Amino acid sequence: MSASVARPRRPLGVRARVAAKVNLALLVGARRADGYHELLTVLQSVALFDQLDVLPAPGGLGLEVEGTALPADEGNLVLVAAREIARKAGADQGARFRLRKGIPVAAGLGGGSADGAAALLALDRLWNLRLPPEELAAMAAEVGSDVPFCLTGGTSVATGRGEQLREVPASGTFWWVVGAAREGLTTAAVYRRHDELGPARPLVASGLDGLLAALADGDPERLAGTLVNDLERAAFRLRPGLALAKQRLVDAGAIGAVMSGSGPTMLGLCADRDHAHRVAKRAWSVFHRVRVAHTPVPGVIFETEAT
Ligand code: C5P
């Protein structure tokens, strides 16, 4: 007679939680020969998350998306990243992804880049590749300009087209009202309009000194006066209501406001969590959706195994 023996549960898959990003400063320089713009930007991961599950599959790559109408097609950065790591690492296994979106899409919050970063790290685990961080960062840069930052998260200055990172100190927690619009903006379209509006500004690293000092000191009042985004002008031309949305955050009591990335999401900086909730209550009507979220947080975190 055989007694039933509890078998150890085999890890079935991997579950990653990945954070959105915000740009506290986004200075846009010259357009390069490859079509990208030289940037000088300060990025922080913000506590808005997507969840990516990945399970082993017999062959090929599959993706299901929940929580938004985002297409699960070949252009989805989860699949772009998966193809990139499979090709570079010579992996011949398959994988099946399930993406639950919590980060608004085409919002300037790096949601697609976050998903690409999560896919790279999740497959590195699932396929037990143990790739060195530099190799993962190089693959991430192939997937998109913000993907290397989303791998690590935290607080960084980025240069080049956004892929060259230098971690910088940040103290404490900053609280934001994140005002999302109903319809997204296409990054490429915003950069195109930016080019039409005049010559690029020279990028001067010392232009970030005040912002970096405020971050290091954890001082929201000082940080508020240093928030800047060169793409606002172009985004406001494409979507005139955005200027009003930014002003509304200030009128509602935010100590500073700035657009994130190529927009249309607006960020209102607040003194603390309670203040952020008060501002959110006063400002909600101009936005499709308003959230309160803090910075910085880590980029990708692995949670329980996906089943
Ligand atoms: O790198 P990523 O695919 O996220 O960039 C999307 C688009 O944004 C690019 O095709 C380009 O038009 C624009 N872009 C840019 N300069 C950058 C980053 C992005 O012009 N530094």
Side-chain angles (χ1 to χ4, degrees):
M1 209 180 88
S2 67
S4 71
V5 178
R7 264 195 258 158
R9 205 159 69 84
R10 201 163 55 88
L12 280 174
V14 171
R15 169 167 292 177
R17 193 185 73 161
V18 59
K21 61 85 192 172
V22 290
N23 302 80
L24 309 186
L26 178 52
L27 308 182
V28 180
R31 188 171 180 275
R32 316 188 312 195
D34 64 4
Y36 285 92
H37 294 74
E38 279 300 320
L39 301 182
L40 183 55
T41 181
V42 180
L43 295 153
Q44 277 201 311
S45 301
V46 62
L48 300 171
F49 303 100
D50 282 352
Q51 181 182 291
L52 185 69
D53 290 342
V54 57
L55 297 162
L61 299 167
L63 171 65
E64 257 175 69
V65 181
E66 291 173 17
T68 171
L70 183 73
D73 62 13
E74 292 301 296
N76 189 297
L77 292 196
V78 169
L79 294 179
V80 174
R83 287 197 300 270
E84 179 72 16
I85 192 171
R87 190 165 56 83
K88 291 266 171 66
D92 56 4
Q93 300 100 312
R96 190 157 54 79
F97 292 99
R98 192 170 56 219
L99 174 63
R100 288 199 186 100
K101 291 295 297 178
I103 306 172
V105 174
L109 292 168
S113 304
D115 302 339
L120 287 176
L121 293 182
L123 286 182
D124 184 57
R125 280 203 168 200
L126 186 79
W127 293 342
N128 203 21
L129 301 171
R130 297 164 194 263
L131 294 170
E134 317 79 69
E135 235 174 277
L136 287 164
M139 291 178 192
E142 292 295 317
V143 178
S145 308
D146 287 330
V147 184
F149 174 73
C150 292
L151 285 177
T152 51
T155 308
S156 283
V157 170
T159 51
R161 64 179 171 93
E163 87 289 12
Q164 289 164 30
L165 300 172
R166 177 169 61 91
E167 206 182 326
V168 292
S171 303
T173 296
F174 296 94
W175 286 93
W176 305 86
V177 173
V178 181
R182 183 180 294 276
E183 269 193 55
L185 278 172
T186 309
T187 305
V190 177
Y191 275 100
R192 259 198 316 275
R193 179 57 69 97
H194 174 80
D195 289 339
E196 288 163 11
L197 289 175
R201 67 146 94 192
L203 297 179
V204 184
S206 60
L208 297 180
D209 287 352
L211 188 151
L212 294 179
L215 272 178
D217 288 351
D219 183 341
E221 291 286 345
R222 267 167 64 213
L223 184 66
T226 64
L227 301 170
V228 57
N229 185 338
D230 283 351
L231 293 178
E232 279 181 358
R233 205 155 63 104
F236 291 3
R237 295 283 172 101
L238 289 168
R239 194 71 70 71
L242 288 178
L244 183 76
K246 180 178 175 184
Q247 186 57 43
R248 174 63 77 86
L249 285 170
V250 175
D251 294 345
I255 56 181
V258 71
M259 185 176 81
S260 185
S262 54
T265 300
M266 287 294 158
L267 307 169
L269 180 58
C270 296
D272 55 36
R273 183 190 196 137
D274 288 347
H275 180 218
H277 281 286
R278 287 198 300 278
V279 172
K281 255 190 209 151
R282 289 189 213 117
W284 68 271
S285 63
V286 285
F287 296 103
H288 174 56
R289 194 158 177 203
V290 173
R291 314 258 270 273
V292 167
H294 66 281
T295 59
V297 294
V300 179
I301 286 181
F302 288 98
E303 296 186 329
T304 53
E305 293 148 3
T307 52

